[in-house]
Amino acid sequence: SFNQDATCLVLGLRGGFRIYDCSPFVQRFSTGGGGLLHVEMLFCTSLVALVGGGDQPAFSPRRLRLWDTRKRAALCELNFVTAVLAVRLNRRRVVVALERALHVFDITCAMKCLHTLATVPNPRAVVAFSPNEENCHLAFPGTGVGEVVMYDALALKVLNKVAACKSRVAAMAFCRSGALLATASEQGTVVRVFTVPGAQQVFTLRRGTYSSAIRSLAFNQSATRLAVCGSSSTVHVFDTSLAPRASSAAAAAQQQQQRLRSGSGGSSGSSRQGSPSSGGGGGGSARRASGGSGVRLTAGIKQVAALLPLSKRATDYVDSSRAAAHARLRSGCTPRACALISDGAGSSGGGDSLLVCTDQGMLLRYAVPDGGGDCRLTCA
């Protein structure tokens, strides 16, 4: 898994674990021992959370060990009644996920247990935790199918609940500030983005028409892009730069009304769209030439759809946005986790790079083009 700011990659092995710097990609720590199923790192510090697993586990899967890589020694150990399925941490809290419970600990006060949340059965440990220590938000599945609970791990109270998916939730991720939450269902065709704590849906992102088991969701540092990887060999990068920030929900609604008005602006737009001369020559110029008519056509479809009794799935299809960029992995590679970093490796000497960790033990780096399209493999 990647650490909270995607500067490091940590791997749990059958014999110990390793830590790598992502830029440049070099090994910074390695240790042996028994098998480790879960390894989580706290930013670039020496603190690592370990959970045993595998055929010959280093210790019981019901035990959480906090390890100091600098001292090469355990700082503390916590035992639970059932297996630890996931660990999430930031600079103020540690969240331990069991199948039917979430334990919230204070990392600044000798790992004092602050609260235990009883949850619905969650064998895949679908849980998201904000890396921001001020917006210390936690998200986990609620009692209803597709319901997500937003929880404040500082104040120890529920912030909101939202029906995020029609089927069970499969993946979630907060942006770096904790102000946005991305969710995906087991179907994996649509990713929805909500504000926190308001639970207002601001994006419906269409990954594809075929189902895919979503494995990882990751925002970039400024929350202007969202990477999505699943069981397919393609990683999608969506443009979320129009996500409304604090107190801008009214502006978003006004923009929607303006788009609908522009979509019904008379017959001149339709005639221009149908004109053979608007097609252009090359592919790039053709897309630019038809961009305005495409927006008008989409707005017109949405305006008509608003008058029809569409199902939730049909409404998602009409309102959703396609991926701005995508990376097609080489044959035989399956993505396990993804991250977006801003390190000057983009297409114009600056911008985002997409990191993809595969089931085959490879780390792939792609340059995300500013204008969308195919991501270019820069390092493997």
Side-chain angles (χ1 to χ4, degrees):
S1 62
F2 294 96
N3 65 346
Q4 291 84 353
D5 54 8
T7 54
C8 294
L9 174 68
V10 57
L11 302 177
L13 308 172
R14 293 180 179 177
F17 69 97
R18 297 175 186 172
I19 299 175
Y20 295 90
D21 286 328
C22 290
S23 184
F25 185 69
V26 294
Q27 180 175 301
R28 64 182 296 178
F29 181 83
S30 177
T31 185
L36 294 171
L37 184 60
H38 302 292
V39 184
E40 295 290 333
M41 187 177 180
L42 179 61
F43 290 93
C44 285
T45 68
S46 59
L47 181 63
V48 180
L50 307 175
V51 178
D55 297 332
Q56 297 180 339
F59 45 88
S60 171
R62 296 185 291 107
R63 179 180 302 168
L64 169 66
R65 176 178 294 174
L66 295 185
W67 184 267
D68 189 329
T69 57
R70 187 177 295 112
K71 298 179 180 179
R72 290 182 175 264
L75 299 177
C76 73
E77 292 186 347
L78 300 172
N79 294 310
F80 301 88
V81 295
T82 60
V84 176
L85 302 182
V87 183
R88 302 288 185 264
L89 61 165
N90 62 23
R91 299 185 190 275
R92 300 184 68 176
R93 296 288 186 265
V94 175
V95 177
V96 179
L98 310 183
E99 184 174 357
R100 292 177 177 268
L102 290 171
H103 297 275
V104 181
F105 296 90
D106 188 346
I107 199 174
T108 66
C109 187
M111 288 296 290
K112 176 183 177 181
C113 185
L114 301 175
H115 194 56
T116 298
L117 294 162
T119 65
V120 296
N122 189 13
R124 298 183 180 178
V126 180
V127 59
F129 191 42
S130 167
N132 189 292
E133 57 192 80
E134 299 301 329
N135 295 326
C136 205
H137 298 150
L138 174 66
F140 54 92
T143 55
V145 176
E147 183 183 64
V148 172
V149 179
M150 300 177 181
Y151 184 83
D152 188 337
L154 289 181
L156 303 178
K157 65 178 182 179
V158 174
L159 296 173
N160 218 326
K161 296 181 181 180
V162 60
C165 310
K166 291 198 67 176
S167 57
R168 288 185 295 181
V169 182
M172 294 185 291
F174 284 101
C175 67
R176 305 281 176 87
S177 67
L180 295 176
L181 175 68
T183 66
S185 70
E186 289 183 337
Q187 188 175 7
T189 55
V190 173
V191 176
R192 297 180 179 89
V193 180
F194 300 89
T195 60
V196 183
Q200 178 188 3
Q201 183 173 329
V202 291
F203 277 103
T204 303
L205 309 172
R206 181 156 42 96
R207 187 203 58 81
T209 56
Y210 296 100
S211 297
S212 176
I214 303 300
R215 294 180 166 183
S216 179
L217 303 169
F219 286 96
N220 65 349
Q221 183 174 2
S222 57
T224 57
R225 281 172 173 159
L226 174 67
V228 180
C229 75
S231 55
S232 68
S233 59
T234 301
V235 180
H236 301 268
V237 180
F238 294 92
D239 182 8
T240 56
S241 58
L242 297 181
R245 299 300 187 257
S247 70
S248 61
Q254 184 178 1
Q255 291 177 1
Q256 176 69 9
Q257 292 177 356
Q258 291 176 352
R259 286 195 294 267
L260 293 178
R261 293 193 193 101
S262 64
S264 57
S267 59
S268 60
S270 301
S271 62
R272 285 194 299 269
Q273 181 184 348
S275 173
S277 62
S278 65
S285 60
R287 284 192 296 269
R288 288 191 296 270
S290 61
S293 60
V295 171
R296 289 190 291 271
L297 178 61
T298 301
I301 293 176
K302 291 183 178 181
Q303 191 174 29
V304 173
L307 304 177
L308 300 177
L310 297 178
S311 66
K312 175 66 175 175
R313 185 174 181 181
T315 304
D316 283 342
Y317 186 87
V318 171
D319 291 339
S320 59
S321 302
R322 298 285 283 184
H326 45 266
R328 294 183 175 88
L329 276 61
R330 60 183 62 179
S331 178
C333 289
T334 306
R336 167 62 59 176
C338 61
L340 288 167
I341 60 174
S342 300
D343 61 351
S347 59
S348 302
D352 290 331
S353 287
L354 171 67
L355 301 180
V356 181
C357 183
T358 71
D359 285 338
Q360 293 70 33
M362 300 179 63
L363 180 66
L364 308 176
R365 182 195 297 267
Y366 295 85
V368 181
D370 294 335
D374 292 330
C375 298
R376 177 174 55 88
L377 180 64
T378 58
C379 184

